[in-house]
Amino acid sequence: MENKMFCYQCEQTAGCTGCTGNAGVCGKSANTARLQDELTGALIGLARAVEGNEHLVNEEMNQLVLEGLFTTVTNVNFNDETLKILIYKIENEKKKLVPNCFTCSGSCGRNDNFDMNTLWTTDEDVRSLKSLILFGIRGMAAYAYHASVLGYTDETISKFFYKALFAVGMKDWGMDELLPIVLEVGEVNLRCMELLDQANTTTYGTPVPTTVPLTIEKGPFIIITGHDLKDLQLLLEQTKDKGINIYTHGEMLPAHAYPEFKKYSHLKGNFGTAWQNQQKEFDNIPGAILYTTNCLMPVKPSYADRVFTTEVVSYPEMVHIGEEKDFTPVIEKALALGGYTKDQHMTGINGGIQVTTGFSHGTVLSVADQVIEAVKNGDIKHFFLVGGCDGARVGRNYYTEFVKQSPADSIILTLACGKYRFNDLDLGTIGGLPRIMDMGQCNDAYSAIKVAIALAEAFECDVNELPLSMVLSWYEQKAVCILLTLLYLGIKNIHLGPTLPAFISPNVLNFLVENYGISPISTPEEDLKKLLNK
């Protein structure tokens, strides 16, 4: 069975049950999936070795755990060689913690790695809860990684990764032991998103509403995709006065709203739409592409020579920019390709020629009085948070239609790449406020939470009593940790789609429905009717 795989961590997983053949729907091979399981098993082994040796844990080890978890997020790493190197590094750290255990043949678990096959074949409810924990911390590790790049770490967050990994490896734990940790993932992730928000705003300023053109100007250009703002800053610095324009892609769009980035005149606009369209949108483009985080799809030959990766992103035979962060190869490729000979007037999915971003909690709460007054006057009757991950599965046009059919007296808050389904629509304004407010990247769910809590305080009610509905789309593991944060906060009646996670068993789903009112999306018409009459 070595040439087979089992993976069900993302929304597009085969048959809504799991990828089990020679390759996953995401494009990773069975061997890559096996190595990612081996990497996870090594991390669990490290967490076992940490127990009782917490005083020996250092920042380098914590960073290695973040890197190991982040590497296994969907669409991050397709390179078997880099996975093997990570496994080797993690096992070496474990040996430093428990050197004497490697001369012992006992079965305490401190001298070996965890076999992930025992997780995939265990009781379905235990597997479901452990999957929620594992996939949740994979997503959270991505956020913690971005914060650490900017010099922000938190000991509570770092310690929890070991605790959660240890729990995943406990063979005799059931719902009573695992469920509290599932919710703790949500609690710690809230702190993690807060830390990343602090890191981003302290470093780059508080985002402000910004209109971003979709036109690609003539001349050499580089597209930067992913989430890492530090990489964008370094790229902008290295391309100053070189006659190269920089365009964001996917989840990098919100970077335009940070004041620190506005000083770079060659940060021009946004290229294309969401990540899953890259194979079509990048086809034969005369520019270079830099991948900073997850969102990498298998690379087509028509643009393989112009793809560059950095950080934990890796793909076989692609040029990787290492820790030195010298983007010279990217710059030289952009100059050699030359760019378009004339301006390319591109559009969004709905034909719009520009999009707006920058409605973080700092911006929205600065006009809180205006928002509250509009609600009291009846100008704003409902808020919808319509956001999350985009993806390729048929049915995601639900989110476009939902927004189009939303009442004219409602506000659409959005974030993450799911917004590309509708962010180029012009829905007008209410009381001077745009009806669509892009709050940023997926981690900026923290902004939505801050706004919801502030509104609840202003109206002296519970968040669940607000005229606020959450209609979320999910794809990968960062969406999982955000969902767990919402559950930890007690937020109920979330509509989730386009499908429910394959890793949630019927019993666990029943628990979520009974305690939190989670429900799958149906049709825009039916869901709007239900939500507006709640």
Side-chain angles (χ1 to χ4, degrees):
M1 293 295 291
E2 190 168 305
N3 63 329
K4 301 296 181 182
M5 65 184 292
F6 177 76
C7 182
Y8 66 169
Q9 71 173 2
C10 80
E11 187 272 335
Q12 68 181 4
T13 195
C16 294
T17 57
C19 295
T20 58
N22 296 316
V25 176
C26 69
K28 69 182 176 185
S29 69
N31 197 55
T32 300
R34 179 185 62 79
L35 284 168
Q36 290 188 353
D37 273 357
E38 190 176 328
L39 172 59
T40 304
L43 286 168
I44 293 171
L46 178 62
R48 288 168 164 171
V50 163
E51 189 183 26
N53 293 302
E54 288 83 0
H55 61 289
L56 297 176
V57 174
N58 54 41
E59 281 303 314
E60 290 76 15
M61 191 181 299
N62 290 340
Q63 192 66 20
L64 186 59
V65 170
L66 293 184
E67 187 175 345
L69 286 168
F70 192 0
T71 293
T72 58
V73 169
T74 306
N75 294 99
V76 171
N77 193 306
F78 296 79
N79 193 329
D80 292 356
E81 295 310 308
T82 59
L83 292 172
K84 291 174 184 176
I85 292 170
L86 263 177
I87 293 167
Y88 174 79
K89 288 181 178 179
I90 293 166
E91 290 179 337
N92 269 353
E93 289 299 322
K94 183 174 67 171
K95 289 178 182 178
K96 293 177 187 177
L97 290 174
V98 286
N100 295 329
C101 288
F102 289 85
T103 60
C104 169
S105 60
S107 57
C108 67
R110 291 161 67 87
N111 60 347
D112 59 4
N113 296 336
F114 179 73
D115 181 0
M116 292 294 287
N117 288 320
T118 63
L119 173 57
W120 307 138
T121 56
T122 193
D123 170 81
E124 66 172 356
D125 294 332
V126 170
R127 183 178 73 169
S128 183
L129 291 171
K130 287 186 175 183
S131 293
L132 279 167
I133 294 169
L134 176 59
F135 302 158
I137 61 172
R138 284 177 175 175
M140 184 166 65
Y143 297 147
Y145 187 97
H146 296 318
S148 71
V149 166
L150 295 175
Y152 288 74
T153 59
D154 183 293
E155 187 176 359
T156 300
I157 297 170
S158 298
K159 285 182 177 179
F160 180 72
F161 284 115
Y162 297 103
K163 177 180 179 179
L165 285 165
F166 187 88
V168 174
M170 289 301 290
K171 296 179 182 179
D172 57 348
W173 281 17
M175 181 170 282
D176 290 343
E177 293 86 2
L178 295 170
L179 188 57
I181 297 178
V182 170
L183 295 178
E184 193 175 354
V185 173
E187 178 183 9
V188 178
N189 184 60
L190 178 62
R191 170 62 190 138
C192 191
M193 289 193 296
E194 180 183 28
L195 182 71
L196 181 53
D197 178 80
Q198 179 188 5
N200 286 339
T201 55
T202 302
T203 307
Y204 302 112
T206 299
V208 295
T210 302
T211 299
V212 183
L214 302 181
T215 295
I216 309 302
E217 298 179 14
K218 67 179 181 179
F221 67 94
I222 296 171
I223 298 167
I224 183 168
T225 187
H227 303 73
D228 202 286
L229 299 182
K230 180 67 174 179
D231 284 327
L232 173 59
Q233 179 189 15
L234 294 172
L235 180 65
L236 288 168
E237 281 294 324
Q238 293 180 38
T239 50
K240 282 193 305 187
D241 305 319
K242 284 189 166 58
I244 299 174
N245 290 330
I246 306 299
Y247 295 90
T248 56
H249 174 264
E251 285 267 55
M252 276 298 211
L253 167 64
H256 290 274
Y258 287 91
E260 185 66 20
F261 291 124
K262 292 183 178 295
K263 70 182 185 183
Y264 298 99
S265 61
H266 61 305
L267 178 59
K268 291 290 186 176
N270 192 69
F271 184 101
T273 54
W275 67 274
Q276 78 279 358
N277 299 319
Q278 65 190 257
Q279 290 180 327
K280 177 178 66 176
E281 293 177 345
F282 292 168
D283 188 35
N284 282 309
I285 61 168
I289 311 151
L290 176 64
Y291 288 84
T292 68
T293 59
N294 59 306
C295 298
L296 171 66
M297 290 185 71
V299 180
K300 292 177 63 177
S302 65
Y303 59 90
D305 66 325
R306 56 210 67 181
V307 165
F308 300 84
T309 61
T310 192
E311 298 294 347
V312 299
V313 188
S314 187
Y315 196 86
E317 299 179 6
M318 300 298 106
V319 176
H320 187 78
I321 308 298
E323 294 179 4
E324 74 285 353
K325 292 297 182 181
D326 180 0
F327 292 120
T328 299
V330 191
I331 293 168
E332 290 177 345
K333 176 59 70 171
L335 291 171
L337 290 168
Y340 294 109
T341 56
K342 60 182 180 179
D343 292 356
Q344 302 295 304
H345 299 289
M346 300 183 175
T347 66
I349 287 177
N350 302 286
I353 61 172
Q354 62 187 25
V355 293
T356 302
T357 187
F359 290 91
S360 68
H361 63 90
T363 295
V364 177
L365 294 181
S366 71
V367 294
D369 291 345
Q370 186 178 345
V371 174
I372 292 166
E373 190 64 26
V375 174
K376 289 181 176 178
N377 291 340
D379 296 329
I380 298 175
K381 288 191 168 64
H382 209 93
F383 296 87
F384 294 101
L385 175 59
V386 186
C389 311
D390 204 358
R393 189 183 294 276
V394 174
R396 285 184 178 266
N397 61 329
Y398 163 95
Y399 298 95
T400 309
E401 293 304 314
F402 186 97
V403 170
K404 284 182 177 180
Q405 295 178 34
S406 62
D409 55 8
S410 64
I411 292 285
I412 307 295
L413 304 174
T414 189
L415 46 82
C417 60
K419 61 175 169 267
Y420 281 102
R421 293 282 170 170
F422 51 79
N423 67 339
D424 63 321
L425 290 170
D426 182 3
L427 298 186
T429 62
I430 301 177
L433 299 169
R435 282 197 55 218
I436 296 181
M437 297 186 186
D438 175 15
M439 308 189 90
Q441 296 181 343
C442 53
N443 56 280
D444 290 311
Y446 177 72
S447 277
I449 290 168
K450 290 277 286 186
V451 169
I453 291 173
L455 287 173
E457 290 174 351
F459 291 107
E460 298 181 344
C461 67
D462 183 86
V463 170
N464 293 307
E465 296 172 328
L466 287 171
L468 168 68
S469 301
M470 297 192 179
V471 184
L472 307 181
S473 55
W474 82 283
Y475 172 73
E476 41 85 4
Q477 296 75 65
K478 287 184 283 186
V480 176
C481 64
I482 291 171
L483 177 64
L484 295 181
T485 293
L486 296 175
L487 299 185
Y488 159 72
L489 291 169
I491 294 175
K492 298 183 177 181
N493 302 316
I494 297 169
H495 280 54
L496 186 63
T499 62
L500 293 178
F503 53 81
I504 294 183
S505 68
N507 287 333
V508 172
L509 176 60
N510 186 57
F511 174 85
L512 295 176
V513 170
E514 288 184 353
N515 289 275
Y516 299 98
I518 283 185
S519 63
I521 59 172
S522 57
T523 66
E525 296 80 6
E526 291 176 6
D527 289 344
L528 278 166
K529 183 177 180 180
K530 183 194 305 183
L531 294 170
L532 290 169
N533 293 321
K534 73 171 186 177

